[in-house]
Amino acid sequence: MRIGMGYDVHKLVEGRDLIIGGVTVPYEKGLLGHSDADVLVHAIMDAILGAAALGDIGKHFPDTSKEYEGVSSIVLLEKVKELVEKECYIIGNIDATIIAQRPKMAQYIPQMVTNIAKTLHISEKQVNVKATTEEGLGFTGSGDGISAQAICLLNTVDNYAYDGTDSVAYVYDPEATETKNCSGCQGCCRNK
C-alpha cells in the first residue's frame, strides 16, 4: 500500500467559470489557471501521482503547453488513472477537502463524487469529498482564492486476490500472487 497527498490553490477572478470536481458551481468568480483550474481535481491528481511516486501534475501537464490550455481537469484525471494503471496500481480510496469561504459547496459535492469516481472507474464509496471555510482567515477566508487538499491510498495488484474469472475479489491478500491462479485475467500488468 502507498499513500500520497496533494494540495492545490487557485486565485478567484471575474470572467471565469467556477469548476470544482467537474461541476460548474454558480458564482460571480471563477478560478484562474492554465486549464479549467479545477482545484479539487488537481489536488486529487497530485495525491494519486504522489502515491505512485510519479511526480506531480506540473510534470505531466505543464502550464506552458498549448495542449492543456483550457482543458477539463476531468480529462487530465483520466490520464492520471492511465499512468498509475501502467504501474499496476489500484486506487483504494481518496479523501479530499475543498477550502473556500464561499460559495457553499454542500449541494454540489454528491455530483463531484460521482464525476471523480466515474472518471477513475471506482466506486463512489471510495471517494470522499468535504468542504470547509477558513472562518474568514487567510486568502481563502477573504475570498481571494480556493484551495483543496487530498490524500489517496494505492494498492498494487498483488494486494488483490483473483478468482480465475474476470472479477476481482477486493480482499487484501499479500500472498495473492503466489497462491492464486490468475490465468485468463487480462486486467493487470503481470499479463502484459
Side-chain angles (χ1 to χ4, degrees), residues 111-129:
Q111 186 60 53
M112 294 176 190
V113 169
T114 297
N115 293 346
I116 293 160
K118 182 178 176 182
T119 303
L120 294 173
H121 302 169
I122 59 177
S123 165
E124 290 184 17
K125 292 181 179 181
Q126 292 171 269
V127 180
N128 187 60
V129 175

Side-chain angles (χ1 to χ4, degrees), residues 83-155:
L83 287 170
V84 296
E85 283 179 350
K86 284 180 185 174
E87 300 295 321
C88 296
Y89 291 116
I90 299 167
I91 295 172
N93 75 297
I94 293 167
D95 185 27
T97 304
I98 306 161
I99 303 152
Q101 194 66 32
R102 52 191 182 278
K104 298 297 183 189
M105 301 287 168
Q107 66 180 315
Y108 307 106
I109 287 176
Q111 186 60 53
M112 294 176 190
V113 169
T114 297
N115 293 346
I116 293 160
K118 182 178 176 182
T119 303
L120 294 173
H121 302 169
I122 59 177
S123 165
E124 290 184 17
K125 292 181 179 181
Q126 292 171 269
V127 180
N128 187 60
V129 175
K130 50 202 180 297
T132 188
T133 69
E134 294 271 51
E135 302 293 332
L137 301 172
F139 68 89
T140 54
S142 66
D144 290 333
I146 294 177
S147 65
Q149 299 177 358
I151 56 172
C152 173
L153 174 72
L154 293 182
N155 290 299

Side-chain angles (χ1 to χ4, degrees), residues 1-4 47-48 51-52 54 80-94 120-123 126 152-162 167-172 176-177 185 187-190:
M1 288 186 271
R2 301 172 66 105
I3 298 170
I48 295 169
L54 292 174
V80 166
K81 178 187 78 69
E82 292 168 5
L83 287 170
V84 296
E85 283 179 350
K86 284 180 185 174
E87 300 295 321
C88 296
Y89 291 116
I90 299 167
I91 295 172
N93 75 297
I94 293 167
L120 294 173
H121 302 169
I122 59 177
S123 165
Q126 292 171 269
C152 173
L153 174 72
L154 293 182
N155 290 299
T156 66
V157 294
D158 294 343
N159 296 133
Y160 290 83
Y162 291 83
S167 64
V168 178
Y170 290 98
V171 176
Y172 176 71
T177 56
C185 174
C188 87
C189 61
R190 285 180 284 157

